[in-house]
Amino acid sequence: MYEKNTEGSRELFEEAKKYLPGGVTYHIRYIEPYPFYVKKAKGSRIWDVDGNEYTDYWMAHGAAILGHGYEPIINAIKEQLDYGIHFGWCNEWEIKWAKAVTDWFGLDKVRPSNSGTEANMYAIRLARAYTGRRKIGKFAGGWHGGYDGLHKAVSYPYDKPSSLGLTKCVQDDIIVLPFNDLEGVYQKIKNEELAAIIVEPVLGAGGAIPAQKEFLKGLREICDEKGIVLIFDEVITGFRFYRGATNYYGVKPDLITTGKAVGGQYFPGAGAIVGISDIMDLIDHLKRKNFWERVFHGGTYTGNALTMRAGYLLIRELMNKKDEIFPYLSNLGDYFRMSLKETFEDKNIKALVSGIGSMIGIHFTEASTLNPVEITEKSNIELMKRYHKHMLDNRIVYLSPYSPHLFISIAHNKEDIDRFVDVTRDFIEKIGNK
Ligand SMILES: Cc1ncc(COP(=O)(O)O)c(C=O)c1O
């Protein structure tokens, strides 16, 4: 049972509720009846304040590709702490980082941002400035952070406002499109003048649902035909695939937004807008002398030495060890998906195991297509919640109970996956007995 020996967490939550709305810093981290409080993390494991060990499939919101506490990065950062973290002036790490990021994605220029949300905010601004248009296409079930200009049709039911406090005019500028449905996209935008279409090549929060290659190729063609800026939101996928999902799919967007691992996996201030010069140079104050003729981008912590150094080191590590890291993640991910599929099929459980590479989605759904709306509408939410609880009782953690998307890292191994599958089998047997 999850509640066994978690007294320390229970007490902390009681205290937290006095000061933090809902007792947490982000509602998705809440777990019923109270969240566990992490003391330490290493590799694929986390330990709570009561000393319980968990196998982690959330991995710092998917950021920790090389596992928690990856020593080469941690050690370099210990040295950086002595030099200083945030100067508010230029530093040499930002140049190394910028070269590494642009090389990685094969695009011309980059600017750092403080988060994935912020990267998307600036990308939309750039696209509007570049095209002189207002409206933005985003996909139902797509998640791009809490920015007003993209916060629509995030969670099911998609026709409800995704938050209070959003203004009608901003919402009206967002055109919601159907994922993996090119004809549907054509129909939705045929009478619209869009500045940009933004898409996650693999829906993350939507439950690790990959785009079909033909779909992304088709989007590229539509954007070319209609003069729309194509943005790939690679906040999750950017460093989970060698040179990003852009390289995996072989489709090139005009802008890529990224976050998480681009700041070295563990450090705040992690985000980037990467793109072709024609668009990125709209920020360039040397080429555009007057502020009213350029796009504003900036921020106190952007380009801080700590995050830049950590991000640069991570990318260098991924480049140097690409032949080990990416095949390992891809093979382990395939093994994970295949083992789960076989287990569900064996036991006649209607389930869709989705994802590619190191991203894995588990859906108890009747849907057979990779359409997030259909997957969610036909999902057995109660069963997913019970499954999540069962895994938690066995000290295996992932997010979320509603649209499970799991992340593996190079610190995970076959034994971890086998245990996950064994505990899944126990669950199926348990529900079968009721
Ligand atoms: C695809 C995607 N875009 C944007 C974001 C927002 O990034 P951040 O939480 O760094 O603001 C996330 C966060 O999970 C994400 O998964």
Side-chain angles (χ1 to χ4, degrees):
M1 276 300 277
Y2 169 63
E3 283 89 338
K4 197 171 156 217
N5 193 33
T6 52
E7 189 60 17
S9 285
R10 196 186 61 72
E11 281 170 17
L12 284 172
F13 186 59
E14 287 308 309
E15 182 72 358
K17 276 191 289 188
K18 295 182 200 160
Y19 313 108
L20 295 161
V24 287
T25 47
Y26 194 170
H27 75 278
I28 60 175
R29 296 182 188 145
Y30 174 70
I31 286 170
E32 276 179 17
Y34 49 84
F36 57 88
Y37 285 79
V38 178
K39 180 108 184 163
K40 192 176 92 175
K42 185 79 187 161
S44 60
R45 301 293 197 267
I46 45 184
W47 289 266
D48 69 15
V49 290
D50 295 292
N52 300 299
E53 180 180 314
Y54 302 77
T55 312
D56 188 11
Y57 290 90
W58 177 228
M59 297 309 290
H61 292 232
I65 295 157
L66 301 182
H68 291 296
Y70 186 70
E71 270 169 25
I73 293 179
I74 297 293
N75 291 339
I77 290 313
K78 281 182 182 161
E79 185 190 283
Q80 190 60 40
L81 291 178
D82 287 337
Y83 284 110
I85 300 160
H86 167 53
F87 311 123
W89 296 108
C90 297
N91 63 77
E92 62 184 305
W93 296 107
E94 68 198 29
I95 308 168
K96 290 183 197 289
W97 174 88
K99 182 173 184 323
V101 176
T102 48
D103 281 354
W104 181 260
F105 288 113
L107 283 165
D108 304 324
K109 302 248 168 91
V110 62
R111 275 285 180 97
S113 63
N114 289 302
S115 64
T117 303
E118 204 185 271
N120 284 327
M121 177 185 88
Y122 283 120
I124 296 303
R125 184 179 293 173
L126 277 164
R128 286 187 170 133
Y130 184 69
T131 58
R133 301 176 188 166
R134 221 178 62 218
K135 292 194 177 179
I136 306 295
K138 67 99 48 191
F139 291 88
W143 166 240
H144 306 289
Y147 165 52
D148 283 22
L150 289 170
H151 205 59
K152 189 171 178 181
V154 171
S155 310
Y156 185 79
Y158 299 114
D159 55 345
K160 296 271 186 219
S162 293
S163 170
L164 289 177
L166 300 168
T167 54
K168 184 175 179 312
C169 57
V170 172
Q171 291 285 290
D172 287 350
D173 282 344
I174 310 172
I175 308 297
V176 177
L177 306 173
F179 190 69
N180 273 336
D181 174 4
L182 217 44
E183 182 50 34
V185 173
Y186 268 118
Q187 291 309 322
K188 283 272 183 184
I189 70 167
K190 65 178 182 215
N191 299 320
E192 301 283 357
E193 289 258 290
L194 294 185
I197 292 181
I198 184 166
V199 64
E200 292 166 85
V202 184
L203 297 185
I209 301 169
Q212 278 146 348
K213 186 168 182 176
E214 288 312 306
F215 175 67
L216 290 185
K217 275 172 74 180
L219 283 185
R220 178 69 276 177
E221 281 161 21
I222 294 178
C223 287
D224 286 343
E225 192 186 302
K226 292 183 157 271
I228 299 169
V229 173
L230 180 62
I231 308 172
F232 280 1
D233 180 337
E234 292 229 45
V235 170
I236 292 179
T237 52
F239 300 92
R240 289 201 158 266
F241 296 90
Y242 174 58
R243 292 178 185 270
T246 296
N247 180 54
Y248 176 88
Y249 281 100
V251 178
K252 204 156 187 176
D254 305 301
L255 292 177
I256 290 175
T257 52
T258 189
K260 303 187 195 274
V262 80
Q265 312 187 95
Y266 319 119
F267 303 97
I273 312 106
V274 203
I276 55 172
S277 291
D278 276 3
I279 301 179
M280 293 302 289
D281 283 351
L282 290 169
I283 300 174
D284 189 334
H285 64 282
L286 300 176
K287 294 187 174 141
R288 297 171 167 263
K289 298 282 179 207
N290 297 311
F291 67 81
W292 59 89
E293 288 165 337
R294 62 177 186 255
V295 167
F296 173 82
H297 162 267
T300 301
Y301 291 101
T302 43
N304 74 81
L306 185 100
T307 307
M308 294 294 96
R309 183 166 178 178
Y312 161 68
L313 289 177
L314 177 93
I315 299 169
R316 205 182 60 179
E317 202 76 352
L318 293 180
M319 268 298 190
N320 289 345
K321 297 187 182 157
K322 63 177 191 305
D323 296 332
E324 283 165 57
I325 292 174
F326 293 100
Y328 180 81
L329 289 175
S330 164
N331 291 337
L332 196 64
D334 285 346
Y335 176 71
F336 199 173
R337 282 179 289 273
M338 192 199 66
S339 307
L340 284 171
K341 266 185 204 160
E342 279 176 8
T343 307
F344 293 133
E345 273 165 22
D346 248 26
K347 305 276 176 190
N348 286 322
I349 297 286
K350 270 259 170 241
L352 176 77
V353 182
S354 61
I356 36 174
S358 57
M359 299 170 71
I360 295 101
I362 306 170
H363 310 266
F364 295 130
T365 179
E366 301 276 330
S368 50
T369 65
L370 290 173
N371 173 339
V373 179
E374 193 197 345
I375 290 173
T376 317
E377 273 172 353
K378 295 184 177 169
S379 275
N380 185 340
I381 303 287
E382 268 321 297
L383 194 59
M384 303 223 284
K385 276 170 75 174
R386 284 174 63 191
Y387 180 52
H388 186 263
K389 171 84 175 76
H390 176 83
M391 302 311 269
L392 184 63
D393 285 345
N394 286 278
R395 308 271 188 243
I396 292 174
V397 287
Y398 63 81
L399 234 75
S400 80
Y402 307 102
S403 59
H405 56 297
L406 291 71
F407 299 106
I408 52 170
S409 71
I410 60 162
H412 290 81
N413 57 32
K414 196 170 162 291
E415 287 71 44
D416 294 326
I417 307 303
D418 288 342
R419 174 155 187 268
F420 191 104
V421 174
D422 284 347
V423 177
T424 298
R425 208 172 284 118
D426 289 348
F427 171 72
I428 300 170
E429 270 151 26
K430 198 167 115 186
I431 54 169
N433 294 336
K434 287 213 172 145

